[in-house]
Amino acid sequence: MLTQNGIKLAVYIITNDFGKLVAQVCECLLRRGSLTRQGIARFAELPSEKVKKCLRILIQHNCVQAFALEQQGCGDLGKPPIVNTHYMALLGNIVQHIRFPKFLAIAKGELSQQVGPTNGQQCALLLEGLLQHGRLTLTQILDRATQEDENNADPKAVRERFFLLVKNRFVEHCPSPEPHMPLRSEDEQPTKKRGSKSSQMLLLEVAMSVAGAMLRETQKQPMRYVLLLLDIKHPAQATVKEVTLEEQALADAMPMEAERFSIDAVSTADTENETNRNGVLAIRSGEKRKLMEVESELDVVFPEKEPIWRVNFDEFNRLLRNKACIDTVRTRLDDNAAKVLSAMLKASGSSASAVSVTLDAIFEELLKSNQTMTMTLDHVRTILDDIGCDSDRVDKYNLDLSDIIKQAKIEEIESIVLKRYGREAYRIFRLLRSNSLYLDTDKISDRVFIDKKETMKILYKLWKDNFLHMEKVSRGGIKDKDALLWKVNDSNLYYEILDELYHVVLNIQIRSNYEKDQRREVCYFPEMLLLQISKEALTGENKTNLDRLRKKMMLLVNCILKLDDALLLFQD
Amino acid sequence: MGRPRLPAAGDLKRKRGGEPVADPTETIYDLIESRGDKGIWKGDVKKELSSIKPTYVDNYIKKLLSDGRIKEFVPKEGPKGKPLLVAMHIEPAEELTGGIWYDGGKLDEEFIGAINRNCLECIKGCVVVSAADVLGFIKKRDLYKVKISLEQIKDVLGSLVLDNAIVECRSTGFGEFARIPVGTVCYKLRRDLGQRGGRGGAMALIPCGACPRINQCTPDGAISPVTCVYFEKWLALEF
């Protein structure tokens, strides 16, 4: 979700990492949406060459995605459509930069369990290279490993470690550099599916015909047209979900699942004489034309035979989300419930938010992780019910993680209300949150045991800050005042809190950089240089100052990591 | 100059004969009684009985109060401290008095606090309790003169749930719920009672989470993370 403070945070991160010029281009894309290179040059008031270089850096670090958009030419309708390369900034990917230390810690932890601590550490170093450089080929990764540590630079070992990262889905193929977005003609109709028509198929046909009709309408606005997709969970509750041009471009750029983590292309690309073999070329033949187009646009040279790899943010975010769910359950219930949920998520291994596992699989996973477990099957069943699982079959349990995530979000919002407005406001907010209907002031005052005038003041404060929604209802009588009805402002609240979280993370980043600059002044003050004293040899007040600064930095970094946990939930 | 003498019933007889005028005290009492448990403001009495002088009305009402035929009560809503009048044998409506939770028109926070503490004590002792268990516990202690009903105890337990001090659940009939019938609403203490009121979110850890000036805070503005006094105090306090 794009928010004002989200844009400011992204610009700050890019400024810190790549400089003001690149940040200027990034800000232009974030504020104005997808633009061509000429458009960026115009709005950012920069020469085209500089914009090109900045875009190369941003694409290299997965902060920008290009796509080729086909547009109807001006003037004579008989002319062929024009294809322009547009660029869009990816706010989500830019903000991921805050999470890089967590990604490394997760990879090290997971891989150490599989291959031992030493190899786990080495794998994490390979991942660090990808995080630092954005995108690399395997050759570049091998070269880097050799330069960093000659002792552990056996190419075969490095390759094995890299394959382990791919197997665990921590790295993936880069998306297509420039997916093609064709212009749809008015006559084009969606194809119908053959075979017996289930209710889902019928709904799909209806929706596709509606989509076709809407597309004909939206041809009038060629720059931004929408596609309608069916989001069917239950046939009776099918909802039509709008997909923007940018989202469609991102979806098209993503390689297919089989290709995304394919290491066959890597191993065959390294062998000699592979250029003569069709179908084993690492890059698909269709992609070569697109690569050449991007080459001409940005003068980038793509390595021909090797796929390019990048860190798979989705997998790390999934693991972090699972961890957040486990922590929420641990707080709400107990450690045993956390262990059961952890086992359920490991047994499932699915990336979807809905998980479905048998009791046997959960129990097996529990035994694997804890040899001295004393929980019985009945106990595990009770815990699964407490967590909120439902079972449509004997011993098969389904859980929607989005419910747990929603619970965690609500707890975060409630803690903000408690800290900012006090205990009484907290009670009022929880009362309104537990009721989906409107409540009037008198009823609220009675339920929470707060004086009515005080209740009114608190409700007004919460309403002013967009936590609540208020409706005025006339009571009918001339003498009677209008009744005020209150409800939690669900529609906007998550957006507001996300924006605030971005704001707070930005504040902490700015403050921690400020403290770092202060520390630099202490570390390099002139007496030290004159007397050639090292940091460790500092005494007295200087040592105290340095220690204090170091502790401040640690506190601020810890705060960022905790805020990022909350940010992950609200970005979901 | 002394208080004007209240006209007696006979003084108000019409000189030329006819029916005797009703005793104004009785008229006022009848009016107050007719309003039942809703009561009536003094001002409304004066309006209704405009034939009697307002100063006389005040004096008649004082007489009725001193005779113990009517009483005053301060409603929980309405002008500050201004009482309503009601007949002595009638209990004022709970929706006006606020019930046992209000004393003299104000929320009796001390009493509510005491009931809260009793409820928590009962739950601590028994691990899992129903509302009936808590009521029994309080009645056994016999600490309060007022009669507390089951509904009122449920209201108090409800506010403790909103405070996040206790958790509401339903009895399954097994384990710790064995003595409570299946499906009965029960209450137990939160596991992390040390973090009462929520486990403390990320925003609550830093000054920005509670800052009243967050909307005016910008990276380069007068209020910024570098110049913020709350940040300075927070970092100074920590070390």
Side-chain angles (χ1 to χ4, degrees):
Chain A
M1 250 191 280
L2 205 62
T3 70
Q4 281 305 311
N5 284 306
I7 293 172
K8 284 183 192 170
L9 176 63
V11 170
Y12 187 79
I13 291 170
I14 298 291
T15 309
N16 266 352
D17 290 348
F18 308 116
K20 280 190 178 163
L21 208 59
V22 180
Q24 213 172 324
V25 169
C26 182
E27 186 172 6
C28 183
L29 286 172
L30 284 168
R31 292 204 184 275
R32 295 185 179 272
S34 53
L35 291 168
T36 58
R37 187 154 61 101
Q38 292 75 19
I40 298 169
R42 184 156 56 97
F43 289 116
E45 294 173 0
L46 289 171
S48 188
E49 275 305 305
K50 285 195 177 170
V51 169
K52 195 195 319 181
K53 287 179 185 168
C54 294
L55 284 171
R56 279 164 66 180
I57 295 171
L58 289 167
I59 290 174
Q60 171 66 24
H61 286 271
N62 306 299
C63 300
V64 158
Q65 171 70 45
F67 60 97
L69 181 64
E70 217 173 86
Q71 288 169 263
Q72 192 66 46
C74 302
D76 191 0
L77 283 174
K79 284 190 179 171
I82 306 166
V83 179
N84 281 326
T85 304
H86 284 67
Y87 301 91
M88 59 173 159
L90 305 172
L91 177 72
N93 282 7
I94 298 170
V95 174
Q96 301 286 0
H97 283 230
I98 305 171
R99 288 185 198 136
F100 285 178
K102 286 188 189 173
F103 293 170
L104 284 172
I106 289 173
K108 192 174 160 190
E110 292 280 331
L111 296 173
S112 297
Q113 283 180 5
Q114 293 176 30
V115 294
T118 317
N119 280 328
Q121 172 69 18
Q122 294 299 323
C123 290
L125 286 172
L126 293 183
L127 192 75
E128 192 180 4
L130 275 169
L131 288 171
Q132 281 172 354
H133 296 279
R135 303 174 171 202
L136 293 170
T137 60
L138 182 54
T139 311
Q140 287 167 331
I141 292 170
L142 287 168
D143 290 341
R144 186 181 167 274
T146 316
Q147 281 168 19
E148 294 276 316
D149 184 358
E150 287 179 10
N151 295 333
N152 284 310
D154 173 29
K156 198 176 169 191
V158 172
R159 197 173 286 125
E160 287 300 321
R161 286 181 213 132
F162 181 76
F163 290 163
L164 191 61
L165 286 171
V166 176
K167 188 182 151 199
N168 281 280
R169 299 194 161 204
F170 291 149
V171 298
E172 61 176 0
H173 280 263
C174 283
S176 167
E178 195 173 316
H180 190 73
M181 310 293 295
L183 189 68
R184 284 205 180 192
S185 66
E186 288 194 14
D187 298 331
E188 200 174 305
Q189 290 291 332
T191 53
K192 290 188 179 181
K193 293 200 181 231
R194 290 182 186 172
S196 61
K197 290 185 183 179
S198 64
S199 56
Q200 278 191 345
M201 294 302 180
L202 281 170
L203 278 169
L204 184 64
E205 284 178 27
V206 165
M208 290 298 271
S209 64
V210 168
M214 284 203 69
L215 267 173
R216 284 193 287 279
E217 268 302 302
T218 55
Q219 287 302 313
K220 294 170 193 168
Q221 296 171 359
M223 276 304 295
R224 190 178 175 88
Y225 65 88
V226 298
L227 285 174
L228 298 174
L229 285 182
L230 262 187
D231 181 12
I232 298 177
K233 285 180 186 167
H234 303 283
Q237 296 170 12
T239 55
V240 175
K241 193 177 152 188
E242 199 175 285
V243 174
T244 62
L245 178 66
E246 285 82 4
E247 283 167 348
Q248 184 62 33
L250 272 175
D252 284 351
M254 195 58 69
M256 286 166 55
E257 202 62 25
E259 228 178 279
R260 207 172 154 197
F261 304 102
S262 162
I263 54 175
D264 294 337
V266 177
S267 40
T268 51
D270 279 341
T271 60
E272 291 175 4
N273 302 321
E274 57 85 24
T275 46
N276 292 328
R277 284 186 248 165
N278 292 327
V280 295
L281 271 174
I283 299 171
R284 294 194 304 264
S285 54
E287 281 225 348
K288 200 161 180 179
R289 179 183 59 78
K290 289 176 192 169
L291 285 173
M292 284 168 64
E293 283 170 6
V294 179
E295 276 181 28
S296 62
E297 168 82 359
L298 295 180
D299 297 338
V300 172
V301 177
F302 286 96
E304 282 215 7
K305 299 181 185 74
E306 279 198 85
I308 312 169
W309 298 89
R310 68 172 191 178
V311 173
N312 180 11
F313 295 141
D314 289 343
E315 178 64 16
F316 285 108
N317 285 335
R318 182 187 75 86
L319 292 170
L320 285 170
R321 208 170 291 121
N322 287 353
K323 185 175 171 293
C325 291
I326 293 167
D327 287 341
T328 304
V329 164
R330 180 179 286 117
T331 310
R332 191 161 57 92
L333 300 171
D334 55 22
D335 289 332
N336 283 336
K339 282 179 192 164
V340 168
L341 179 62
S342 174
M344 188 176 184
L345 292 170
K346 270 191 191 152
S348 150
S350 160
S351 57
S353 66
V355 168
S356 184
V357 193
T358 60
L359 183 62
D360 289 339
I362 297 171
F363 207 71
E364 208 179 298
E365 198 60 50
L366 276 167
L367 287 170
K368 258 193 236 173
S369 55
N370 185 3
Q371 299 293 333
T372 58
M373 196 187 72
T374 54
M375 278 193 272
T376 60
L377 273 173
D378 278 337
H379 192 181
V380 172
R381 276 198 195 97
T382 314
I383 289 174
L384 287 167
D385 287 337
D386 286 342
I387 289 172
C389 299
D390 54 38
S391 58
D392 51 2
R393 238 179 55 193
V394 174
D395 284 357
K396 182 150 192 181
Y397 288 86
N398 309 315
L399 175 66
D400 194 351
L401 290 176
S402 57
D403 293 334
I404 302 179
I405 290 169
K406 192 178 173 190
Q407 183 64 34
K409 281 188 207 176
I410 287 167
E411 281 182 16
E412 180 66 38
I413 297 173
E414 285 174 358
S415 73
I416 295 170
V417 170
L418 175 65
K419 180 88 191 272
R420 208 177 279 181
Y421 305 101
R423 180 158 297 284
E424 288 166 344
Y426 174 73
R427 229 182 288 155
I428 290 173
F429 186 80
R430 276 172 61 83
L431 172 67
L432 289 170
R433 199 256 308 152
S434 61
N435 269 281
S436 54
L437 304 171
Y438 283 93
L439 286 179
D440 72 297
T441 317
D442 290 337
K443 200 159 194 147
I444 294 169
S445 170
D446 290 339
R447 292 274 294 272
V448 297
F449 293 104
I450 300 172
D451 187 55
K452 191 182 171 186
K453 281 182 189 165
E454 204 50 47
T455 306
M456 262 314 296
K457 281 185 200 167
I458 293 168
L459 286 168
Y460 180 71
K461 264 191 235 172
L462 290 171
W463 170 73
K464 211 161 61 90
D465 291 341
N466 288 323
F467 282 91
L468 300 182
H469 186 66
M470 188 248 292
E471 286 284 347
K472 231 183 217 182
V473 173
S474 168
R475 284 193 220 246
I478 299 165
K479 280 187 186 178
D480 290 340
K481 287 182 197 170
D482 292 339
L484 297 176
L485 302 176
W486 308 88
K487 193 178 150 184
V488 171
N489 189 6
D490 278 325
S491 52
N492 276 347
L493 189 55
Y494 291 154
Y495 175 87
E496 297 278 344
I497 298 295
L498 178 65
D499 192 45
E500 270 196 39
L501 278 167
Y502 281 135
H503 190 173
V504 172
V505 171
L506 175 61
N507 283 355
I508 300 278
Q509 292 263 24
I510 292 171
R511 186 70 198 208
S512 69
N513 281 341
Y514 172 74
E515 296 294 340
K516 257 189 230 169
D517 290 339
Q518 295 272 328
R519 188 180 169 198
R520 241 176 253 133
E521 284 175 20
V522 173
C523 288
Y524 299 111
F525 68 93
E527 283 85 341
M528 251 184 82
L529 288 171
L530 275 173
L531 298 170
Q532 310 262 313
I533 300 172
S534 68
K535 268 187 278 182
E536 287 71 26
L538 281 176
T539 54
E541 194 186 333
N542 294 325
K543 189 172 189 302
T544 316
N545 282 341
L546 189 62
D547 282 341
R548 202 179 287 143
L549 282 169
R550 197 182 295 133
K551 285 178 186 171
K552 277 186 194 175
M553 287 302 304
M554 278 179 59
L555 172 68
L556 291 168
V557 166
N558 277 335
C559 285
I560 289 180
L561 293 176
K562 285 197 176 125
L563 281 166
D564 182 59
D565 288 340
L567 202 58
L568 181 73
L569 296 173
F570 283 87
Q571 280 175 327
D572 200 26
Chain B
M1 198 167 162
R3 211 174 58 181
R5 188 180 66 87
L6 289 174
D11 293 350
L12 295 174
K13 265 192 191 170
R14 290 164 66 109
K15 286 182 182 173
R16 287 191 185 177
E19 289 177 16
V21 179
D23 180 6
T25 315
E26 290 303 316
T27 312
I28 291 171
Y29 176 79
D30 289 341
L31 175 61
I32 292 171
E33 196 186 26
S34 70
R35 293 305 166 101
D37 61 359
K38 296 287 183 282
I40 186 169
W41 301 109
K42 207 186 277 185
D44 290 341
V45 172
K46 290 175 186 173
K47 270 186 204 164
E48 295 277 332
L49 301 173
S50 52
S51 57
I52 308 173
K53 262 189 180 176
T55 43
Y56 290 168
V57 170
D58 286 337
N59 293 330
Y60 289 136
I61 286 171
K62 270 186 198 160
K63 189 169 184 308
L64 286 168
L65 281 167
S66 59
D67 290 346
R69 293 183 68 192
I70 62 171
K71 59 187 175 189
E72 285 178 333
F73 72 95
V74 180
K76 66 175 185 174
E77 283 172 40
K80 198 174 175 183
K82 204 169 162 189
L84 280 164
L85 302 166
V86 71
M88 188 55 92
H89 64 274
I90 297 174
E91 268 310 306
E94 212 173 273
E95 66 206 44
L96 291 174
T97 60
I100 61 171
W101 309 124
Y102 281 79
D103 181 24
K106 284 186 191 167
L107 200 66
D108 193 350
E109 286 172 359
E110 210 179 298
F111 177 58
I112 294 167
I115 297 282
N116 279 349
R117 284 190 295 274
N118 291 146
C119 291
L120 286 172
E121 209 183 310
C122 176
I123 297 170
K124 265 185 211 166
C126 302
V127 181
V128 177
V129 295
S130 64
D133 294 334
V134 174
L135 182 63
F137 176 85
I138 290 173
K139 275 184 175 169
K140 210 174 167 184
R141 286 282 195 90
D142 197 23
L143 294 165
Y144 309 105
K145 288 179 193 169
V146 290
K147 192 182 168 193
I148 305 171
S149 69
L150 186 66
E151 280 308 313
Q152 284 160 342
I153 288 294
K154 281 182 182 173
D155 288 342
V156 171
L157 290 168
S159 85
L160 286 171
V161 169
L162 291 175
D163 231 357
N164 221 8
I166 61 176
V167 173
E168 188 180 291
C169 47
R170 284 204 180 261
S171 168
T172 57
F174 295 107
E176 57 192 0
F177 300 104
R179 62 176 185 84
I180 302 173
V182 175
T184 312
V185 174
C186 310
Y187 304 89
K188 55 181 180 177
L189 285 177
R190 273 186 62 87
R191 278 186 64 240
D192 49 348
L193 190 59
Q195 297 172 17
R196 180 179 165 171
R199 69 186 164 99
M203 287 271 272
L205 297 173
I206 48 174
C208 303
C211 182
R213 300 273 176 261
I214 187 79
N215 292 329
Q216 288 125 46
C217 172
T218 54
D220 303 320
I223 303 174
S224 75
V226 172
T227 58
C228 178
V229 292
Y230 298 122
F231 247 118
E232 285 294 337
K233 281 183 187 169
W234 174 60
L235 289 171
L237 277 173
E238 291 285 329
F239 307 108

Tab-separated table of all heavy atoms in Angstrom, chain A residues 4-34:
chain	number	residue	atom	x	y	z
A	4	GLN	N	1.909	8.282	2.073
A	4	GLN	CA	2.828	9.418	1.984
A	4	GLN	C	4.107	9.157	2.764
A	4	GLN	O	5.219	9.409	2.280
A	4	GLN	CB	2.135	10.677	2.538
A	4	GLN	CG	1.169	11.314	1.572
A	4	GLN	CD	1.822	11.634	0.256
A	4	GLN	OE1	2.895	12.231	0.172
A	4	GLN	NE2	1.194	11.208	-0.817
A	5	ASN	N	3.949	8.659	3.969
A	5	ASN	CA	5.146	8.400	4.774
A	5	ASN	C	5.922	7.191	4.254
A	5	ASN	O	7.135	7.118	4.423
A	5	ASN	CB	4.745	8.201	6.241
A	5	ASN	CG	4.423	9.523	6.902
A	5	ASN	OD1	5.232	10.442	6.883
A	5	ASN	ND2	3.234	9.641	7.464
A	6	GLY	N	5.218	6.274	3.602
A	6	GLY	CA	5.889	5.144	2.954
A	6	GLY	C	6.824	5.635	1.862
A	6	GLY	O	7.965	5.169	1.728
A	7	ILE	N	6.351	6.625	1.101
A	7	ILE	CA	7.188	7.185	0.035
A	7	ILE	C	8.416	7.873	0.647
A	7	ILE	O	9.546	7.707	0.181
A	7	ILE	CB	6.374	8.179	-0.813
A	7	ILE	CG1	5.282	7.434	-1.582
A	7	ILE	CG2	7.261	8.952	-1.772
A	7	ILE	CD1	4.297	8.312	-2.307
A	8	LYS	N	8.187	8.630	1.725
A	8	LYS	CA	9.312	9.345	2.369
A	8	LYS	C	10.344	8.343	2.886
A	8	LYS	O	11.562	8.550	2.760
A	8	LYS	CB	8.797	10.170	3.544
A	8	LYS	CG	8.076	11.431	3.136
A	8	LYS	CD	7.666	12.222	4.366
A	8	LYS	CE	6.693	13.309	3.986
A	8	LYS	NZ	6.079	13.944	5.151
A	9	LEU	N	9.859	7.250	3.479
A	9	LEU	CA	10.776	6.229	4.007
A	9	LEU	C	11.571	5.599	2.872
A	9	LEU	O	12.795	5.440	2.970
A	9	LEU	CB	9.990	5.160	4.770
A	9	LEU	CG	10.798	3.973	5.290
A	9	LEU	CD1	11.833	4.409	6.310
A	9	LEU	CD2	9.887	2.916	5.905
A	10	ALA	N	10.879	5.260	1.784
A	10	ALA	CA	11.557	4.626	0.642
A	10	ALA	C	12.628	5.558	0.079
A	10	ALA	O	13.753	5.136	-0.218
A	10	ALA	CB	10.531	4.272	-0.443
A	11	VAL	N	12.279	6.843	-0.035
A	11	VAL	CA	13.237	7.822	-0.581
A	11	VAL	C	14.447	7.942	0.345
A	11	VAL	O	15.593	8.034	-0.097
A	11	VAL	CB	12.538	9.186	-0.785
A	11	VAL	CG1	13.540	10.267	-1.103
A	11	VAL	CG2	11.509	9.091	-1.889
A	12	TYR	N	14.196	7.905	1.659
A	12	TYR	CA	15.291	8.001	2.634
A	12	TYR	C	16.223	6.804	2.517
A	12	TYR	O	17.456	6.948	2.549
A	12	TYR	CB	14.711	8.095	4.048
A	12	TYR	CG	15.751	8.376	5.098
A	12	TYR	CD1	16.235	9.663	5.294
A	12	TYR	CD2	16.265	7.358	5.889
A	12	TYR	CE1	17.202	9.929	6.247
A	12	TYR	CE2	17.228	7.608	6.846
A	12	TYR	CZ	17.687	8.897	7.022
A	12	TYR	OH	18.653	9.163	7.966
A	13	ILE	N	15.634	5.603	2.359
A	13	ILE	CA	16.445	4.383	2.232
A	13	ILE	C	17.301	4.453	0.966
A	13	ILE	O	18.503	4.159	0.988
A	13	ILE	CB	15.541	3.128	2.196
A	13	ILE	CG1	14.881	2.898	3.559
A	13	ILE	CG2	16.326	1.895	1.784
A	13	ILE	CD1	13.798	1.842	3.561
A	14	ILE	N	16.690	4.888	-0.138
A	14	ILE	CA	17.437	4.964	-1.402
A	14	ILE	C	18.523	6.029	-1.301
A	14	ILE	O	19.660	5.840	-1.783
A	14	ILE	CB	16.481	5.259	-2.571
A	14	ILE	CG1	15.448	4.136	-2.741
A	14	ILE	CG2	17.247	5.465	-3.868
A	14	ILE	CD1	15.994	2.819	-3.232
A	15	THR	N	18.220	7.137	-0.642
A	15	THR	CA	19.231	8.206	-0.482
A	15	THR	C	20.429	7.685	0.293
A	15	THR	O	21.581	7.914	-0.085
A	15	THR	CB	18.633	9.406	0.277
A	15	THR	OG1	17.412	9.787	-0.327
A	15	THR	CG2	19.594	10.593	0.259
A	16	ASN	N	20.149	6.958	1.381
A	16	ASN	CA	21.228	6.403	2.214
A	16	ASN	C	22.090	5.417	1.450
A	16	ASN	O	23.316	5.399	1.581
A	16	ASN	CB	20.626	5.648	3.406
A	16	ASN	CG	20.536	6.545	4.610
A	16	ASN	OD1	21.032	7.659	4.611
A	16	ASN	ND2	19.869	6.040	5.633
A	17	ASP	N	21.419	4.583	0.637
A	17	ASP	CA	22.134	3.483	-0.018
A	17	ASP	C	22.784	3.885	-1.338
A	17	ASP	O	23.877	3.406	-1.664
A	17	ASP	CB	21.164	2.307	-0.278
A	17	ASP	CG	20.742	1.612	1.009
A	17	ASP	OD1	21.363	1.889	2.046
A	17	ASP	OD2	19.802	0.794	0.977
A	18	PHE	N	22.096	4.774	-2.099
A	18	PHE	CA	22.569	5.028	-3.461
A	18	PHE	C	22.785	6.506	-3.788
A	18	PHE	O	23.255	6.825	-4.869
A	18	PHE	CB	21.588	4.436	-4.501
A	18	PHE	CG	21.258	2.991	-4.253
A	18	PHE	CD1	19.963	2.603	-3.949
A	18	PHE	CD2	22.236	2.021	-4.298
A	18	PHE	CE1	19.649	1.281	-3.710
A	18	PHE	CE2	21.938	0.685	-4.057
A	18	PHE	CZ	20.643	0.324	-3.749
A	19	GLY	N	22.399	7.374	-2.887
A	19	GLY	CA	22.653	8.789	-3.153
A	19	GLY	C	21.408	9.557	-3.556
A	19	GLY	O	20.351	8.981	-3.849
A	20	LYS	N	21.552	10.882	-3.601
A	20	LYS	CA	20.397	11.769	-3.809
A	20	LYS	C	19.841	11.677	-5.220
A	20	LYS	O	18.642	11.799	-5.436
A	20	LYS	CB	20.796	13.215	-3.513
A	20	LYS	CG	20.823	13.539	-2.055
A	20	LYS	CD	20.979	15.018	-1.787
A	20	LYS	CE	20.940	15.220	-0.283
A	20	LYS	NZ	21.457	16.522	0.108
A	21	LEU	N	20.729	11.495	-6.182
A	21	LEU	CA	20.284	11.490	-7.584
A	21	LEU	C	19.350	10.314	-7.854
A	21	LEU	O	18.269	10.470	-8.446
A	21	LEU	CB	21.521	11.376	-8.474
A	21	LEU	CG	21.407	11.979	-9.859
A	21	LEU	CD1	21.078	13.452	-9.768
A	21	LEU	CD2	22.730	11.795	-10.613
A	22	VAL	N	19.781	9.145	-7.409
A	22	VAL	CA	18.954	7.945	-7.602
A	22	VAL	C	17.647	8.107	-6.835
A	22	VAL	O	16.576	7.722	-7.304
A	22	VAL	CB	19.703	6.679	-7.127
A	22	VAL	CG1	18.858	5.437	-7.326
A	22	VAL	CG2	21.023	6.528	-7.868
A	23	ALA	N	17.745	8.702	-5.631
A	23	ALA	CA	16.546	8.906	-4.812
A	23	ALA	C	15.566	9.849	-5.516
A	23	ALA	O	14.348	9.684	-5.405
A	23	ALA	CB	16.926	9.469	-3.452
A	24	GLN	N	16.103	10.809	-6.248
A	24	GLN	CA	15.229	11.765	-6.957
A	24	GLN	C	14.403	11.031	-8.017
A	24	GLN	O	13.195	11.269	-8.166
A	24	GLN	CB	16.124	12.799	-7.640
A	24	GLN	CG	15.521	14.179	-7.704
A	24	GLN	CD	16.522	15.187	-8.217
A	24	GLN	OE1	17.716	15.112	-7.925
A	24	GLN	NE2	16.056	16.117	-9.005
A	25	VAL	N	15.072	10.136	-8.755
A	25	VAL	CA	14.365	9.363	-9.788
A	25	VAL	C	13.319	8.464	-9.129
A	25	VAL	O	12.183	8.360	-9.577
A	25	VAL	CB	15.377	8.527	-10.603
A	25	VAL	CG1	14.664	7.519	-11.484
A	25	VAL	CG2	16.272	9.435	-11.436
A	26	CYS	N	13.722	7.830	-8.025
A	26	CYS	CA	12.814	6.911	-7.328
A	26	CYS	C	11.593	7.661	-6.807
A	26	CYS	O	10.459	7.192	-6.932
A	26	CYS	CB	13.583	6.247	-6.186
A	26	CYS	SG	12.601	5.060	-5.281
A	27	GLU	N	11.831	8.839	-6.239
A	27	GLU	CA	10.708	9.620	-5.686
A	27	GLU	C	9.753	10.019	-6.806
A	27	GLU	O	8.527	9.989	-6.621
A	27	GLU	CB	11.241	10.868	-4.992
A	27	GLU	CG	10.144	11.631	-4.266
A	27	GLU	CD	10.666	12.765	-3.410
A	27	GLU	OE1	11.890	13.044	-3.459
A	27	GLU	OE2	9.854	13.367	-2.697
A	28	CYS	N	10.313	10.382	-7.951
A	28	CYS	CA	9.471	10.772	-9.084
A	28	CYS	C	8.541	9.617	-9.475
A	28	CYS	O	7.344	9.799	-9.702
A	28	CYS	CB	10.383	11.149	-10.247
A	28	CYS	SG	9.493	11.718	-11.669
A	29	LEU	N	9.091	8.409	-9.516
A	29	LEU	CA	8.276	7.240	-9.898
A	29	LEU	C	7.247	6.916	-8.826
A	29	LEU	O	6.107	6.555	-9.134
A	29	LEU	CB	9.181	6.026	-10.132
A	29	LEU	CG	9.994	6.046	-11.425
A	29	LEU	CD1	10.997	4.894	-11.445
A	29	LEU	CD2	9.101	5.957	-12.650
A	30	LEU	N	7.641	7.048	-7.554
A	30	LEU	CA	6.703	6.704	-6.481
A	30	LEU	C	5.543	7.688	-6.436
A	30	LEU	O	4.402	7.297	-6.200
A	30	LEU	CB	7.428	6.698	-5.125
A	30	LEU	CG	8.317	5.495	-4.854
A	30	LEU	CD1	9.208	5.733	-3.636
A	30	LEU	CD2	7.491	4.234	-4.627
A	31	ARG	N	5.837	8.961	-6.674
A	31	ARG	CA	4.769	9.972	-6.542
A	31	ARG	C	3.894	10.029	-7.783
A	31	ARG	O	2.703	10.316	-7.690
A	31	ARG	CB	5.378	11.346	-6.272
A	31	ARG	CG	6.023	11.437	-4.909
A	31	ARG	CD	6.117	12.844	-4.380
A	31	ARG	NE	6.832	12.860	-3.111
A	31	ARG	CZ	6.261	12.633	-1.919
A	31	ARG	NH1	4.975	12.385	-1.835
A	31	ARG	NH2	6.976	12.661	-0.816
A	32	ARG	N	4.483	9.759	-8.959
A	32	ARG	CA	3.717	9.948	-10.196
A	32	ARG	C	3.275	8.644	-10.846
A	32	ARG	O	2.607	8.687	-11.870
A	32	ARG	CB	4.559	10.751	-11.189
A	32	ARG	CG	4.814	12.156	-10.685
A	32	ARG	CD	5.542	13.006	-11.710
A	32	ARG	NE	5.736	14.337	-11.189
A	32	ARG	CZ	4.850	15.322	-11.314
A	32	ARG	NH1	3.729	15.105	-11.956
A	32	ARG	NH2	5.079	16.494	-10.786
A	33	GLY	N	3.664	7.518	-10.288
A	33	GLY	CA	3.291	6.250	-10.910
A	33	GLY	C	4.265	5.907	-12.025
A	33	GLY	O	5.303	6.534	-12.183
A	34	SER	N	3.896	4.904	-12.841
A	34	SER	CA	4.830	4.439	-13.877
A	34	SER	C	4.992	5.498	-14.966
A	34	SER	O	4.036	6.154	-15.366
A	34	SER	CB	4.340	3.124	-14.466
A	34	SER	OG	3.011	3.246	-14.913
